[in-house]
Amino acid sequence: MSKIISRNFVKALPFYLVFFNIPLIAIVAYLGGWWISLAFIYFIILLNIADLTAGLNPENLDPLTPDTQLFWYSLLTKIWPFAQIFLIYFVIICLKDPSYDIYARTALMVVVGYSSGIGGFVIAHELIHRSNRIERFLGDLLLGTVLYGHFRTEHILVHHRYVATPKDAVTARYNESIYRFFLRAIPQSFISAFKTEAALLKRIKKPIWSLKNPFYLYATLAFLFLFIAFLIGGTHGLMQFVLQAVIAIILLETTNYIEHYGICRKYLGDGKYEHVQPRHSWNANHKVTNYLMINLQRHSDHHYKPNRRFPLLQALEETEAPQLPHGYLFMATLALSPYHWRKVMNARVRRWRSMYYPEITDWTAYNKGTNPWPK
């Protein structure tokens, strides 16, 4: 038994890479000065170099592995919410030191936002997919720390249902720049989440202001974390908390942009679309980013089997799912330049179309994101 536990721990250990964020940022926040630049070097340069050089990870765990053998994987997701909360407020406490100027304060909270986005949103995404109430609440806690609680409703009830269709706000359209995507997707995702909860309440004959509306929980957690930030750091602490949340939200929506850019499901008529398949999400098997973001890049399998825990997500081949040329970290940087993004990705979208839908010759409606799309 001890050998099995040891073996499972060793297999899970690389996914704990995300926890390196905590001591790294805490130390540079304590030391201040030029040390802060080390965190940027790590996130923007070193991780990208590691991802580009480490290659792919085609290894798959048996998808039928029981939860009893996934203890070390699930423990990671249960510990992280408390680690993230600690980090945010620890840095705000450090920034009470008057020796920090506005540039250092801003830089540090941007780095914290990187961690909240790369670690927090990704692990929250894993937790809200679980049926266990404790895990779902931990996911809500994480979303509260980035003021984006409605993501649970939007992701589970809207995105997974309507992904790769015009009804999904966070499916990036063909030729849509990331900046236009931000302006469209961020407000639309909130609106669609609110309308979805209102419709669910109406179905059980409850008003929108019913206490069953989870938006009360989303708002309560957000205000609670904001209030703690204000108690610790006053107005500056409040602004610093909001800044890291904004950075995390930008990273989340950048990830959404990458995951489904230009992908669409076939329209069947009568408002219906084909079932979600692995081909309806971009996939990546790059080793370092998959460790850092707990297999989020195996997104094709996630949408095909949403209830699978992250270690059981499968690395799919190009014949099964479209492949990104690089991991999310590099692709996020590429997306900042729409010209270079289109130069790399539009050709891949067209190749995806010819591979999976050779019968469709007119893609005009798809390109515009209009509904209905052609059969």
Side-chain angles (χ1 to χ4, degrees):
M1 178 62 71
S2 61
K3 289 184 178 180
I4 295 175
I5 293 174
S6 177
R7 186 165 61 247
N8 290 338
F9 173 73
V10 170
K11 287 184 177 180
L13 191 59
F15 291 101
Y16 281 77
L17 173 63
V18 68
F19 280 90
F20 183 69
N21 298 359
I22 306 300
L24 171 67
I25 298 174
I27 290 170
V28 300
Y30 179 76
L31 296 175
W34 67 270
W35 290 97
I36 299 173
S37 62
L38 289 181
F40 282 97
I41 292 171
Y42 171 72
F43 282 114
I44 298 174
I45 299 177
L46 294 183
L47 284 176
N48 265 306
I49 292 174
D51 203 40
L52 291 169
T53 57
L56 306 180
N57 179 18
E59 181 182 353
N60 288 321
L61 291 183
D62 182 349
L64 299 180
T65 302
D67 283 356
T68 53
Q69 295 184 29
L70 301 176
F71 170 80
W72 295 109
Y73 298 96
S74 60
L75 180 66
L76 178 161
T77 63
K78 293 170 184 174
I79 294 174
W80 178 262
F82 305 102
Q84 178 164 308
I85 292 169
F86 161 79
L87 179 65
I88 293 171
Y89 292 126
F90 177 80
V91 174
I92 291 176
I93 290 171
C94 289
L95 292 181
K96 293 175 69 176
D97 186 333
S99 66
Y100 285 96
D101 59 25
I102 184 65
Y103 303 106
R105 295 173 191 274
T106 301
L108 264 175
M109 294 318 295
V110 167
V111 170
V112 174
Y114 265 95
S115 182
S116 297
I118 292 174
F121 261 125
V122 173
I123 292 174
H125 167 263
E126 171 71 14
L127 288 166
I128 62 175
H129 270 285
R130 307 280 64 86
S131 59
N132 182 289
R133 288 187 177 183
I134 294 176
E135 289 179 291
R136 285 206 311 271
F137 180 71
L138 290 174
D140 286 330
L141 273 182
L142 276 176
L143 294 176
T145 65
V146 289
L147 311 178
Y148 222 60
H150 68 277
F151 175 78
R152 171 158 67 91
T153 295
E154 191 279 331
H155 183 81
I156 301 295
L157 301 181
V158 183
H159 177 58
H160 270 273
R161 182 178 180 182
Y162 296 117
V163 64
T165 78
K167 295 181 180 181
D168 179 37
V170 298
T171 293
R173 318 308 188 207
Y174 181 78
N175 263 339
E176 183 176 33
S177 74
I178 194 170
Y179 306 106
R180 184 179 293 275
F181 173 78
F182 287 155
L183 294 175
R184 179 183 61 79
I186 291 176
Q188 284 185 11
S189 63
F190 179 87
I191 293 169
S192 64
F194 192 83
K195 286 183 175 179
T196 297
E197 293 295 351
L200 290 175
L201 289 168
K202 185 177 181 180
R203 191 178 302 171
I204 60 173
K205 298 180 180 180
K206 295 286 185 179
I208 192 66
W209 56 85
S210 168
L211 292 179
K212 290 183 176 293
N213 190 335
F215 271 76
Y216 284 113
L217 174 63
Y218 306 156
T220 298
L221 290 174
F223 281 117
L224 174 63
F225 288 122
L226 285 168
F227 181 65
I228 295 173
F230 178 77
L231 287 180
I232 293 173
T235 304
H236 289 296
L238 194 64
M239 294 171 62
Q240 290 155 8
F241 186 94
V242 171
L243 176 58
Q244 66 84 29
V246 169
I247 298 300
I249 291 168
I250 290 173
L251 289 175
L252 164 73
E253 297 302 352
T254 299
T255 302
N256 276 330
Y257 179 81
I258 294 167
E259 288 168 341
H260 303 287
Y261 175 80
I263 299 289
C264 43
R265 282 152 61 192
K266 190 173 183 179
Y267 183 65
L268 304 177
D270 297 325
K272 297 180 181 179
Y273 295 85
E274 64 178 314
H275 290 299
V276 177
Q277 299 293 326
R279 63 176 175 266
H280 295 126
S281 306
W282 289 102
N283 190 71
N285 294 319
H286 296 78
K287 187 178 296 184
V288 173
T289 310
N290 266 336
Y291 287 148
L292 182 68
M293 303 180 75
I294 60 169
N295 275 346
L296 184 68
Q297 295 182 134
R298 295 184 174 187
H299 210 62
S300 301
D301 195 47
H302 168 68
H303 270 276
Y304 184 53
K305 298 289 183 180
N307 292 327
R308 276 185 182 163
R309 290 188 179 270
F310 78 86
L312 304 183
L313 293 173
Q314 303 294 291
L316 303 177
E317 300 293 335
E318 190 165 9
T319 54
E320 303 170 280
Q323 304 292 314
L324 290 170
H326 304 288
Y328 280 6
L329 293 178
F330 185 87
M331 296 305 293
T333 304
L334 183 67
L336 298 178
S337 172
Y339 169 79
H340 292 96
W341 172 266
R342 291 179 182 129
K343 191 172 181 179
V344 171
M345 289 302 297
N346 282 9
R348 289 178 175 267
V349 173
R350 292 192 294 270
R351 188 159 62 247
W352 172 87
R353 290 172 173 179
S354 63
M355 178 183 294
Y356 293 107
Y357 300 100
E359 73 279 12
I360 300 177
T361 57
D362 182 8
W363 289 87
T364 306
Y366 286 85
N367 293 345
K368 294 181 179 179
T370 53
N371 187 22
W373 286 340
K375 295 182 181 179

